[in-house]
PDB file of all heavy atoms in Angstrom:
ATOM      1  N   LEU A 838     167.850 -89.843  54.766  1.00 93.00           N
ATOM      2  CA  LEU A 838     168.787 -91.026  54.552  1.00 93.00           C
ATOM      3  C   LEU A 838     170.174 -90.740  54.826  1.00 93.00           C
ATOM      4  O   LEU A 838     170.883 -91.501  55.391  1.00 93.00           O
ATOM      5  CB  LEU A 838     168.594 -91.534  53.076  1.00 93.00           C
ATOM      6  CG  LEU A 838     167.354 -92.412  52.739  1.00 93.00           C
ATOM      7  CD1 LEU A 838     167.444 -92.808  51.329  1.00 93.00           C
ATOM      8  CD2 LEU A 838     167.299 -93.649  53.744  1.00 93.00           C
ATOM      9  N   TRP A 840     171.332 -88.449  56.834  1.00 90.00           N
ATOM     10  CA  TRP A 840     171.366 -88.340  58.295  1.00 90.00           C
ATOM     11  C   TRP A 840     171.567 -89.629  58.998  1.00 90.00           C
ATOM     12  O   TRP A 840     172.392 -89.816  59.850  1.00 90.00           O
ATOM     13  CB  TRP A 840     170.149 -87.649  58.652  1.00 90.00           C
ATOM     14  CG  TRP A 840     170.047 -87.245  60.140  1.00 90.00           C
ATOM     15  CD1 TRP A 840     168.952 -87.564  61.035  1.00 90.00           C
ATOM     16  CD2 TRP A 840     170.882 -86.402  60.958  1.00 90.00           C
ATOM     17  NE1 TRP A 840     169.085 -87.064  62.244  1.00 90.00           N
ATOM     18  CE2 TRP A 840     170.385 -86.343  62.215  1.00 90.00           C
ATOM     19  CE3 TRP A 840     172.169 -85.858  60.708  1.00 90.00           C
ATOM     20  CZ2 TRP A 840     170.980 -85.646  63.247  1.00 90.00           C
ATOM     21  CZ3 TRP A 840     172.743 -85.170  61.724  1.00 90.00           C
ATOM     22  CH2 TRP A 840     172.246 -85.111  62.975  1.00 90.00           C
ATOM     23  N   MET A 841     170.731 -90.637  58.446  1.00 92.00           N
ATOM     24  CA  MET A 841     170.856 -91.986  59.083  1.00 92.00           C
ATOM     25  C   MET A 841     172.240 -92.652  58.844  1.00 92.00           C
ATOM     26  O   MET A 841     172.914 -93.067  59.737  1.00 92.00           O
ATOM     27  CB  MET A 841     169.796 -92.936  58.548  1.00 92.00           C
ATOM     28  CG  MET A 841     169.887 -94.353  58.860  1.00 92.00           C
ATOM     29  SD  MET A 841     168.539 -95.346  58.165  1.00 92.00           S
ATOM     30  CE  MET A 841     168.966 -95.410  56.448  1.00 92.00           C
ATOM     31  N   LEU A 842     172.679 -92.486  57.497  1.00 92.00           N
ATOM     32  CA  LEU A 842     173.885 -93.178  57.174  1.00 92.00           C
ATOM     33  C   LEU A 842     175.065 -92.545  57.985  1.00 92.00           C
ATOM     34  O   LEU A 842     175.958 -93.243  58.504  1.00 92.00           O
ATOM     35  CB  LEU A 842     174.207 -93.123  55.672  1.00 92.00           C
ATOM     36  CG  LEU A 842     173.347 -93.976  54.767  1.00 92.00           C
ATOM     37  CD1 LEU A 842     173.533 -93.605  53.282  1.00 92.00           C
ATOM     38  CD2 LEU A 842     173.790 -95.417  55.048  1.00 92.00           C
ATOM     39  N   SER A 843     175.094 -91.145  58.005  1.00 91.00           N
ATOM     40  CA  SER A 843     176.226 -90.616  58.655  1.00 91.00           C
ATOM     41  C   SER A 843     176.276 -90.830  60.147  1.00 91.00           C
ATOM     42  O   SER A 843     177.297 -91.065  60.749  1.00 91.00           O
ATOM     43  CB  SER A 843     176.329 -89.082  58.261  1.00 91.00           C
ATOM     44  OG  SER A 843     175.658 -88.286  59.258  1.00 91.00           O
ATOM     45  N   THR A 844     175.022 -90.823  60.735  1.00 91.00           N
ATOM     46  CA  THR A 844     174.933 -91.076  62.212  1.00 91.00           C
ATOM     47  C   THR A 844     175.445 -92.484  62.447  1.00 91.00           C
ATOM     48  O   THR A 844     176.193 -92.816  63.468  1.00 91.00           O
ATOM     49  CB  THR A 844     173.506 -90.826  62.830  1.00 91.00           C
ATOM     50  OG1 THR A 844     173.113 -89.558  62.446  1.00 91.00           O
ATOM     51  CG2 THR A 844     173.469 -91.136  64.287  1.00 91.00           C
ATOM     52  N   SER A 845     175.189 -93.387  61.537  1.00 91.00           N
ATOM     53  CA  SER A 845     175.428 -94.821  61.829  1.00 91.00           C
ATOM     54  C   SER A 845     176.948 -95.082  61.928  1.00 91.00           C
ATOM     55  O   SER A 845     177.341 -96.163  62.448  1.00 91.00           O
ATOM     56  CB  SER A 845     174.806 -95.732  60.785  1.00 91.00           C
ATOM     57  OG  SER A 845     175.633 -95.621  59.528  1.00 91.00           O
ATOM     58  N   VAL A 846     177.733 -94.202  61.381  1.00 90.00           N
ATOM     59  CA  VAL A 846     179.233 -94.415  61.483  1.00 90.00           C
ATOM     60  C   VAL A 846     179.970 -93.424  62.349  1.00 90.00           C
ATOM     61  O   VAL A 846     181.137 -93.160  62.246  1.00 90.00           O
ATOM     62  CB  VAL A 846     179.865 -94.514  60.074  1.00 90.00           C
ATOM     63  CG1 VAL A 846     179.616 -95.854  59.469  1.00 90.00           C
ATOM     64  CG2 VAL A 846     179.515 -93.391  59.249  1.00 90.00           C
ATOM     65  N   TYR A 869     178.771-101.196  63.265  1.00 90.00           N
ATOM     66  CA  TYR A 869     178.087-102.205  62.588  1.00 90.00           C
ATOM     67  C   TYR A 869     178.364-103.634  63.227  1.00 90.00           C
ATOM     68  O   TYR A 869     177.484-104.386  63.440  1.00 90.00           O
ATOM     69  CB  TYR A 869     178.289-102.213  61.095  1.00 90.00           C
ATOM     70  CG  TYR A 869     177.531-101.066  60.461  1.00 90.00           C
ATOM     71  CD1 TYR A 869     178.040 -99.829  60.309  1.00 90.00           C
ATOM     72  CD2 TYR A 869     176.251-101.357  59.847  1.00 90.00           C
ATOM     73  CE1 TYR A 869     177.279 -98.827  59.689  1.00 90.00           C
ATOM     74  CE2 TYR A 869     175.523-100.359  59.258  1.00 90.00           C
ATOM     75  CZ  TYR A 869     176.071 -99.095  59.181  1.00 90.00           C
ATOM     76  OH  TYR A 869     175.322 -98.027  58.459  1.00 90.00           O
ATOM     77  N   LEU A 872     176.916-104.327  66.608  1.00 85.00           N
ATOM     78  CA  LEU A 872     175.455-104.728  66.681  1.00 85.00           C
ATOM     79  C   LEU A 872     175.224-106.165  66.953  1.00 85.00           C
ATOM     80  O   LEU A 872     174.368-106.672  67.697  1.00 85.00           O
ATOM     81  CB  LEU A 872     174.824-104.514  65.263  1.00 85.00           C
ATOM     82  CG  LEU A 872     174.559-103.091  64.861  1.00 85.00           C
ATOM     83  CD1 LEU A 872     173.821-103.100  63.472  1.00 85.00           C
ATOM     84  CD2 LEU A 872     173.569-102.350  65.856  1.00 85.00           C
ATOM     85  N   PHE A 878     171.551-110.383  66.406  1.00 88.00           N
ATOM     86  CA  PHE A 878     171.032-109.784  65.178  1.00 88.00           C
ATOM     87  C   PHE A 878     170.898-110.958  64.105  1.00 88.00           C
ATOM     88  O   PHE A 878     170.145-110.926  63.184  1.00 88.00           O
ATOM     89  CB  PHE A 878     171.957-108.709  64.667  1.00 88.00           C
ATOM     90  CG  PHE A 878     171.270-107.489  64.575  1.00 88.00           C
ATOM     91  CD1 PHE A 878     170.984-106.671  65.660  1.00 88.00           C
ATOM     92  CD2 PHE A 878     170.874-106.952  63.296  1.00 88.00           C
ATOM     93  CE1 PHE A 878     170.284-105.494  65.561  1.00 88.00           C
ATOM     94  CE2 PHE A 878     170.183-105.766  63.205  1.00 88.00           C
ATOM     95  CZ  PHE A 878     169.903-105.016  64.366  1.00 88.00           C
ATOM     96  N   TRP A1018     159.270-108.246  54.973  1.00 93.00           N
ATOM     97  CA  TRP A1018     160.548-107.791  55.618  1.00 93.00           C
ATOM     98  C   TRP A1018     160.182-106.701  56.637  1.00 93.00           C
ATOM     99  O   TRP A1018     160.794-106.659  57.772  1.00 93.00           O
ATOM    100  CB  TRP A1018     161.533-107.249  54.574  1.00 93.00           C
ATOM    101  CG  TRP A1018     162.864-106.953  55.158  1.00 93.00           C
ATOM    102  CD1 TRP A1018     163.347-105.789  55.548  1.00 93.00           C
ATOM    103  CD2 TRP A1018     164.084-107.903  55.275  1.00 93.00           C
ATOM    104  NE1 TRP A1018     164.628-105.903  56.016  1.00 93.00           N
ATOM    105  CE2 TRP A1018     165.075-107.122  55.826  1.00 93.00           C
ATOM    106  CE3 TRP A1018     164.189-109.311  55.014  1.00 93.00           C
ATOM    107  CZ2 TRP A1018     166.293-107.706  56.183  1.00 93.00           C
ATOM    108  CZ3 TRP A1018     165.394-109.756  55.409  1.00 93.00           C
ATOM    109  CH2 TRP A1018     166.420-109.101  55.917  1.00 93.00           C
ATOM    110  N   LEU A1040     164.639-104.790  66.393  1.00 89.00           N
ATOM    111  CA  LEU A1040     165.047-103.377  66.314  1.00 89.00           C
ATOM    112  C   LEU A1040     164.335-102.631  67.484  1.00 89.00           C
ATOM    113  O   LEU A1040     164.916-101.758  68.092  1.00 89.00           O
ATOM    114  CB  LEU A1040     164.463-102.790  64.964  1.00 89.00           C
ATOM    115  CG  LEU A1040     165.413-102.718  63.870  1.00 89.00           C
ATOM    116  CD1 LEU A1040     164.792-102.243  62.603  1.00 89.00           C
ATOM    117  CD2 LEU A1040     166.739-102.041  64.075  1.00 89.00           C
ATOM    118  N   HIS A1052     173.951 -93.966  67.521  1.00 89.00           N
ATOM    119  CA  HIS A1052     174.744 -94.625  66.519  1.00 89.00           C
ATOM    120  C   HIS A1052     174.501 -96.058  66.247  1.00 89.00           C
ATOM    121  O   HIS A1052     174.435 -96.473  65.109  1.00 89.00           O
ATOM    122  CB  HIS A1052     176.228 -94.403  66.825  1.00 89.00           C
ATOM    123  CG  HIS A1052     176.641 -94.838  68.170  1.00 89.00           C
ATOM    124  ND1 HIS A1052     176.105 -94.355  69.335  1.00 89.00           N
ATOM    125  CD2 HIS A1052     177.515 -95.808  68.592  1.00 89.00           C
ATOM    126  CE1 HIS A1052     176.581 -94.997  70.441  1.00 89.00           C
ATOM    127  NE2 HIS A1052     177.385 -95.840  69.973  1.00 89.00           N
ATOM    128  N   TYR A1053     174.166 -96.801  67.280  1.00 89.00           N
ATOM    129  CA  TYR A1053     173.822 -98.227  67.135  1.00 89.00           C
ATOM    130  C   TYR A1053     172.535 -98.367  66.483  1.00 89.00           C
ATOM    131  O   TYR A1053     172.267 -99.164  65.572  1.00 89.00           O
ATOM    132  CB  TYR A1053     173.824 -98.960  68.424  1.00 89.00           C
ATOM    133  CG  TYR A1053     175.229 -99.162  68.926  1.00 89.00           C
ATOM    134  CD1 TYR A1053     175.424 -98.983  70.388  1.00 89.00           C
ATOM    135  CD2 TYR A1053     176.144 -99.646  68.128  1.00 89.00           C
ATOM    136  CE1 TYR A1053     176.759 -99.230  70.844  1.00 89.00           C
ATOM    137  CE2 TYR A1053     177.418 -99.928  68.676  1.00 89.00           C
ATOM    138  CZ  TYR A1053     177.736 -99.727  69.985  1.00 89.00           C
ATOM    139  OH  TYR A1053     178.966 -99.924  70.498  1.00 89.00           O
ATOM    140  N   LEU A1054     171.504 -97.553  66.864  1.00 90.00           N
ATOM    141  CA  LEU A1054     170.157 -97.691  66.354  1.00 90.00           C
ATOM    142  C   LEU A1054     170.135 -97.339  64.935  1.00 90.00           C
ATOM    143  O   LEU A1054     169.461 -97.987  64.183  1.00 90.00           O
ATOM    144  CB  LEU A1054     169.261 -96.601  67.150  1.00 90.00           C
ATOM    145  CG  LEU A1054     167.739 -97.019  67.005  1.00 90.00           C
ATOM    146  CD1 LEU A1054     167.527 -98.405  67.547  1.00 90.00           C
ATOM    147  CD2 LEU A1054     166.915 -95.985  67.772  1.00 90.00           C
ATOM    148  N   MET A1055     170.936 -96.277  64.438  1.00 91.00           N
ATOM    149  CA  MET A1055     170.924 -96.030  63.107  1.00 91.00           C
ATOM    150  C   MET A1055     171.664 -97.012  62.287  1.00 91.00           C
ATOM    151  O   MET A1055     171.228 -97.411  61.117  1.00 91.00           O
ATOM    152  CB  MET A1055     171.607 -94.598  62.802  1.00 91.00           C
ATOM    153  CG  MET A1055     170.761 -93.382  63.250  1.00 91.00           C
ATOM    154  SD  MET A1055     169.169 -93.336  62.478  1.00 91.00           S
ATOM    155  CE  MET A1055     168.035 -93.833  63.694  1.00 91.00           C
ATOM    156  N   ALA A1056     172.710 -97.574  62.834  1.00 91.00           N
ATOM    157  CA  ALA A1056     173.426 -98.752  62.132  1.00 91.00           C
ATOM    158  C   ALA A1056     172.492 -99.897  61.992  1.00 91.00           C
ATOM    159  O   ALA A1056     172.406-100.522  60.917  1.00 91.00           O
ATOM    160  CB  ALA A1056     174.664 -99.095  62.919  1.00 91.00           C
ATOM    161  N   ALA A1057     171.694-100.233  63.045  1.00 91.00           N
ATOM    162  CA  ALA A1057     170.754-101.234  62.998  1.00 91.00           C
ATOM    163  C   ALA A1057     169.624-100.989  61.939  1.00 91.00           C
ATOM    164  O   ALA A1057     169.299-101.908  61.134  1.00 91.00           O
ATOM    165  CB  ALA A1057     170.132-101.551  64.339  1.00 91.00           C
ATOM    166  N   SER A1058     169.247 -99.707  61.826  1.00 92.00           N
ATOM    167  CA  SER A1058     168.199 -99.376  60.835  1.00 92.00           C
ATOM    168  C   SER A1058     168.779 -99.569  59.497  1.00 92.00           C
ATOM    169  O   SER A1058     168.063 -99.967  58.601  1.00 92.00           O
ATOM    170  CB  SER A1058     167.734 -97.959  61.101  1.00 92.00           C
ATOM    171  OG  SER A1058     167.210 -97.861  62.325  1.00 92.00           O
ATOM    172  N   VAL A1059     170.105 -99.155  59.238  1.00 93.00           N
ATOM    173  CA  VAL A1059     170.692 -99.302  57.953  1.00 93.00           C
ATOM    174  C   VAL A1059     170.624-100.821  57.597  1.00 93.00           C
ATOM    175  O   VAL A1059     170.287-101.256  56.475  1.00 93.00           O
ATOM    176  CB  VAL A1059     172.083 -98.797  57.921  1.00 93.00           C
ATOM    177  CG1 VAL A1059     172.716 -99.112  56.633  1.00 93.00           C
ATOM    178  CG2 VAL A1059     172.064 -97.190  58.127  1.00 93.00           C
ATOM    179  N   VAL A1060     171.075-101.681  58.553  1.00 91.00           N
ATOM    180  CA  VAL A1060     171.163-103.096  58.208  1.00 91.00           C
ATOM    181  C   VAL A1060     169.708-103.578  57.873  1.00 91.00           C
ATOM    182  O   VAL A1060     169.552-104.409  56.901  1.00 91.00           O
ATOM    183  CB  VAL A1060     171.634-103.882  59.369  1.00 91.00           C
ATOM    184  CG1 VAL A1060     171.447-105.400  59.259  1.00 91.00           C
ATOM    185  CG2 VAL A1060     173.085-103.498  59.685  1.00 91.00           C
ATOM    186  N   ALA A1061     168.699-103.080  58.625  1.00 91.00           N
ATOM    187  CA  ALA A1061     167.323-103.446  58.264  1.00 91.00           C
ATOM    188  C   ALA A1061     166.816-102.985  56.897  1.00 91.00           C
ATOM    189  O   ALA A1061     166.002-103.665  56.235  1.00 91.00           O
ATOM    190  CB  ALA A1061     166.375-103.051  59.406  1.00 91.00           C
ATOM    191  N   MET A1062     167.342-101.874  56.587  1.00 92.00           N
ATOM    192  CA  MET A1062     166.855-101.275  55.258  1.00 92.00           C
ATOM    193  C   MET A1062     167.690-101.798  54.075  1.00 92.00           C
ATOM    194  O   MET A1062     167.180-101.800  52.871  1.00 92.00           O
ATOM    195  CB  MET A1062     166.966 -99.815  55.179  1.00 92.00           C
ATOM    196  CG  MET A1062     165.869 -99.075  55.923  1.00 92.00           C
ATOM    197  SD  MET A1062     166.179 -97.353  55.724  1.00 92.00           S
ATOM    198  CE  MET A1062     165.250 -96.638  57.097  1.00 92.00           C
ATOM    199  N   LEU A1063     168.931-102.348  54.295  1.00 91.00           N
ATOM    200  CA  LEU A1063     169.808-102.694  53.194  1.00 91.00           C
ATOM    201  C   LEU A1063     169.213-103.567  52.183  1.00 91.00           C
ATOM    202  O   LEU A1063     169.299-103.293  51.000  1.00 91.00           O
ATOM    203  CB  LEU A1063     171.127-103.143  53.805  1.00 91.00           C
ATOM    204  CG  LEU A1063     172.337-102.933  52.989  1.00 91.00           C
ATOM    205  CD1 LEU A1063     172.569-101.356  52.841  1.00 91.00           C
ATOM    206  CD2 LEU A1063     173.532-103.473  53.620  1.00 91.00           C
ATOM    207  N   PRO A1064     168.655-104.706  52.597  1.00 91.00           N
ATOM    208  CA  PRO A1064     168.170-105.630  51.528  1.00 91.00           C
ATOM    209  C   PRO A1064     167.107-104.926  50.633  1.00 91.00           C
ATOM    210  O   PRO A1064     167.077-105.158  49.449  1.00 91.00           O
ATOM    211  CB  PRO A1064     167.530-106.737  52.366  1.00 91.00           C
ATOM    212  CG  PRO A1064     168.206-106.710  53.706  1.00 91.00           C
ATOM    213  CD  PRO A1064     168.501-105.230  53.957  1.00 91.00           C
ATOM    214  N   VAL A1065     166.181-104.176  51.244  1.00 91.00           N
ATOM    215  CA  VAL A1065     165.217-103.446  50.442  1.00 91.00           C
ATOM    216  C   VAL A1065     165.862-102.537  49.547  1.00 91.00           C
ATOM    217  O   VAL A1065     165.548-102.443  48.294  1.00 91.00           O
ATOM    218  CB  VAL A1065     164.234-102.796  51.367  1.00 91.00           C
ATOM    219  CG1 VAL A1065     163.211-101.974  50.519  1.00 91.00           C
ATOM    220  CG2 VAL A1065     163.575-103.683  52.297  1.00 91.00           C
ATOM    221  N   LEU A1066     166.861-101.821  49.912  1.00 90.00           N
ATOM    222  CA  LEU A1066     167.502-100.826  49.062  1.00 90.00           C
ATOM    223  C   LEU A1066     168.264-101.493  47.967  1.00 90.00           C
ATOM    224  O   LEU A1066     168.160-101.133  46.791  1.00 90.00           O
ATOM    225  CB  LEU A1066     168.561-100.082  49.919  1.00 90.00           C
ATOM    226  CG  LEU A1066     168.090 -99.023  50.885  1.00 90.00           C
ATOM    227  CD1 LEU A1066     169.158 -98.378  51.691  1.00 90.00           C
ATOM    228  CD2 LEU A1066     167.343 -97.900  49.998  1.00 90.00           C
TER     229      LEU A1066
ATOM    230  N   ALA B1307     162.536 -99.524  60.958  1.00 92.00           N
ATOM    231  CA  ALA B1307     163.767 -98.790  60.575  1.00 92.00           C
ATOM    232  C   ALA B1307     163.377 -97.338  60.235  1.00 92.00           C
ATOM    233  O   ALA B1307     164.092 -96.403  60.672  1.00 92.00           O
ATOM    234  CB  ALA B1307     164.499 -99.457  59.545  1.00 92.00           C
TER     235      ALA B1307
END
Side-chain angles (χ1 to χ4, degrees):
Chain A
L838 278 182
W840 183 233
M841 171 179 72
L842 284 172
S843 94
T844 303
S845 75
V846 284
Y869 282 87
L872 287 181
F878 243 77
W1018 189 267
L1040 270 179
H1052 52 298
Y1053 286 138
L1054 199 59
M1055 287 301 106
S1058 299
V1059 172
V1060 170
M1062 281 183 197
L1063 208 57
V1065 177
L1066 285 175

